[in-house]
Amino acid sequence: MKKRIAVIPGSFDPITRGHLDIIIRSAKLFDEIHVSVLHNTKKEGLFTVEERIALIEAAVSDIKNVKVRYFSGLLVDYCQSINANTIVRGLRAVSDFEYEMQLTSMNKKLNDEIETLYMMTNNQYSFISSSMAKEVAKFGGDVTSIVPNHVAEALWSKFDIKK
Ligand code: PNS
């Protein structure tokens, strides 16, 4: 039988507990999950692509069917290159909706064969984001409820915060 492969795309700058929740739940629904780090031209990165990948890999190391990859081009081209016909995105609050509609409709125009599925983020992660983690960490705040512990360490170290 054909493998059911899904892609979870994002900037992951850095991975949050909300992202991780979506990855863990999706891994139970698909044979293979590709967490793919892509460029969002609207965002400037704090972590390098290599650092983001290492942080994601450390977070998902105990989930067998998850691969972590980087792709420099279009998301739909990445999906096609690995025979994935599903994109999974987490949806936090209504404020995500408009942007996600734009993304999905653009991807549909680019490749009509690829479907986007939305998974509601667990309530406890509805109001967290990578940007929030960066801002709190920059001023020395505790980000361990927002990001996995090793990511919190990496954030503090980026901002030269001693904990
Ligand atoms: O975590 P983000 O920043 O919300 O993820 C957005 C991302 C990286 C998935 C999106 O910007 C993307 O797909 N970038 C790759 C380029 C692409 O395919 N763009 C087409 C849709 S506008």
Side-chain angles (χ1 to χ4, degrees):
M1 210 173 80
K2 208 175 146 210
K3 258 190 184 177
R4 290 164 308 162
I5 306 173
V7 172
I8 304 187
S11 310
F12 300 107
D13 185 41
I15 185 168
T16 65
R17 289 190 184 276
H19 291 132
L20 194 54
D21 168 58
I22 299 291
I23 296 167
I24 292 168
R25 287 159 60 203
S26 303
K28 293 180 188 152
L29 304 175
F30 291 89
D31 297 317
E32 197 172 295
I33 295 287
H34 283 231
V35 177
S36 64
V37 176
L38 293 140
H39 292 288
N40 182 339
T41 49
K42 291 187 201 76
K43 293 181 182 169
E44 216 173 295
L46 173 68
F47 290 96
T48 65
V49 167
E50 291 75 21
E51 288 169 334
R52 294 179 209 187
I53 290 197
L55 292 172
I56 303 170
E57 275 175 345
V60 302
S61 59
D62 56 346
I63 320 173
K64 290 201 167 38
N65 57 338
V66 174
K67 295 182 177 177
V68 186
R69 297 286 183 268
Y70 162 71
F71 192 70
S72 62
L74 287 174
L75 170 57
V76 289
D77 289 343
Y78 179 67
C79 292
Q80 203 167 22
S81 74
I82 58 156
N83 285 322
N85 61 3
T86 312
I87 295 166
V88 176
R89 293 278 290 175
L91 206 53
R92 289 168 300 186
V94 181
S95 49
D96 281 343
F97 200 75
E98 198 173 328
Y99 168 60
E100 293 299 331
M101 286 269 285
Q102 284 174 7
L103 209 62
T104 300
S105 111
M106 191 64 238
N107 286 332
K108 259 290 181 219
K109 280 196 186 89
L110 292 167
N111 188 331
D112 191 34
E113 301 289 306
I114 299 169
E115 297 295 343
T116 303
L117 296 184
Y118 282 94
M119 190 177 269
M120 292 300 296
T121 301
N122 203 311
N123 273 351
Q124 71 193 109
Y125 306 126
S126 288
F127 298 101
I128 66 163
S129 63
S130 302
S131 323
M132 195 182 280
K134 284 181 273 196
E135 185 160 322
V136 174
K138 186 172 181 172
F139 298 109
D142 184 2
V143 284
T144 50
S145 64
I146 309 178
V147 295
N149 293 351
H150 69 285
V151 179
E153 299 290 344
L155 275 166
W156 289 321
S157 138
K158 271 274 174 210
F159 295 118
D160 273 331
I161 305 275
K162 304 271 172 292
K163 282 276 171 188

